[in-house]
Amino acid sequence: MRYPRVALVSFSKEVSIPEGVKVSVEGDKVTVEGPKGKLERRYMPEFIDISVEKDVVRLTTYGRRKFNRAYLGTCTAHIRNMIRGVTEGFKREMIVAFAHFPVRVEVDESKKLVLIKNFLGGRSVRTAKIVGEVKVTVKDDRLIIEGISKEDVCQTAANIRQATRIKRKDPRVFQDGIYVVPEGMS
């Protein structure tokens, strides 16, 4: 049961909904549907009210705490990212760098893994987990990670980067690895 809010201060933000996108709020779950797919995310209704009007999502928080305003900004950013994901999608590009031993990268779609072979001449295969509904493609020395969820795309890129992290060696000398290419540099 939700108690009525007695508030002295309220803060609110709005997110515009583009054409072709449907946003709905049920209980503690926000659902965004668009041309590329559907995303769902839970939020804490005790700290924030989310309402959907014609072409605007209105987020309102009550109270003076700094946490309330921070949570308002976080939820606003999540909804913006969800809308961008179902309309445009997210993409990260990574580059395979090696000095001597040629690294081979393969994608196992059935197990949702990225297999990294012959890294630093090692015989063991390094693996990185593909998170969610993300598509990973390998083109020459580049990996392209695409999906509608920003969190899943970025976590998959982080898993690949962590799988090729070199321990107990000087990183200025041993620069082999798989690195994210900054946007605009590809």
Side-chain angles (χ1 to χ4, degrees), residues 166-170 174:
I166 300 172
K167 301 170 193 155
R168 296 182 297 278
K169 289 192 169 100
D170 189 352
F174 294 90

Side-chain angles (χ1 to χ4, degrees), residues 86-130:
V86 298
T87 54
E88 303 169 24
F90 291 96
K91 178 180 176 182
R92 289 285 182 266
E93 189 173 339
M94 300 184 83
I95 187 164
V96 180
F98 55 89
H100 186 268
F101 298 104
V103 178
R104 291 190 323 263
V105 180
E106 298 172 6
V107 178
D108 187 352
E109 301 267 341
S110 62
K111 294 181 181 176
K112 297 190 75 102
L113 292 173
V114 175
L115 307 172
I116 303 153
K117 298 179 179 179
N118 199 35
F119 183 70
L120 291 177
R123 294 183 183 197
S124 64
V125 177
R126 294 180 182 223
T127 61
K129 184 180 177 188
I130 298 173

Side-chain angles (χ1 to χ4, degrees), residues 52-185:
V52 180
E53 294 162 15
K54 227 186 318 185
D55 57 346
V56 169
V57 178
R58 180 163 286 125
L59 297 96
T60 309
T61 186
Y62 302 95
R64 296 180 180 272
R65 290 177 51 203
K66 195 177 204 179
F67 171 81
N68 293 27
R69 285 180 290 164
Y71 193 65
L72 174 70
T74 299
C75 288
T76 304
H78 285 313
I79 291 174
R80 278 194 191 121
N81 286 338
M82 290 167 68
I83 290 171
R84 182 176 166 206
V86 298
T87 54
E88 303 169 24
F90 291 96
K91 178 180 176 182
R92 289 285 182 266
E93 189 173 339
M94 300 184 83
I95 187 164
V96 180
F98 55 89
H100 186 268
F101 298 104
V103 178
R104 291 190 323 263
V105 180
E106 298 172 6
V107 178
D108 187 352
E109 301 267 341
S110 62
K111 294 181 181 176
K112 297 190 75 102
L113 292 173
V114 175
L115 307 172
I116 303 153
K117 298 179 179 179
N118 199 35
F119 183 70
L120 291 177
R123 294 183 183 197
S124 64
V125 177
R126 294 180 182 223
T127 61
K129 184 180 177 188
I130 298 173
V131 180
E133 298 298 319
V134 174
K135 183 182 173 206
V136 179
T137 55
V138 180
K139 293 181 182 175
D140 299 328
D141 66 339
R142 303 278 175 150
L143 272 79
I144 297 162
I145 306 165
E146 296 175 304
I148 62 171
S149 172
K150 185 174 186 176
E151 288 84 10
D152 293 348
V153 169
C154 293
Q155 186 60 55
T156 300
N159 291 346
I160 294 169
R161 174 68 194 104
Q162 281 293 89
T164 60
R165 205 180 87 200
I166 300 172
K167 301 170 193 155
R168 296 182 297 278
K169 289 192 169 100
D170 189 352
R172 296 169 295 179
V173 177
F174 294 90
Q175 296 180 355
D176 296 22
I178 302 176
Y179 300 98
V180 175
V181 176
E183 290 187 32
M185 298 288 292

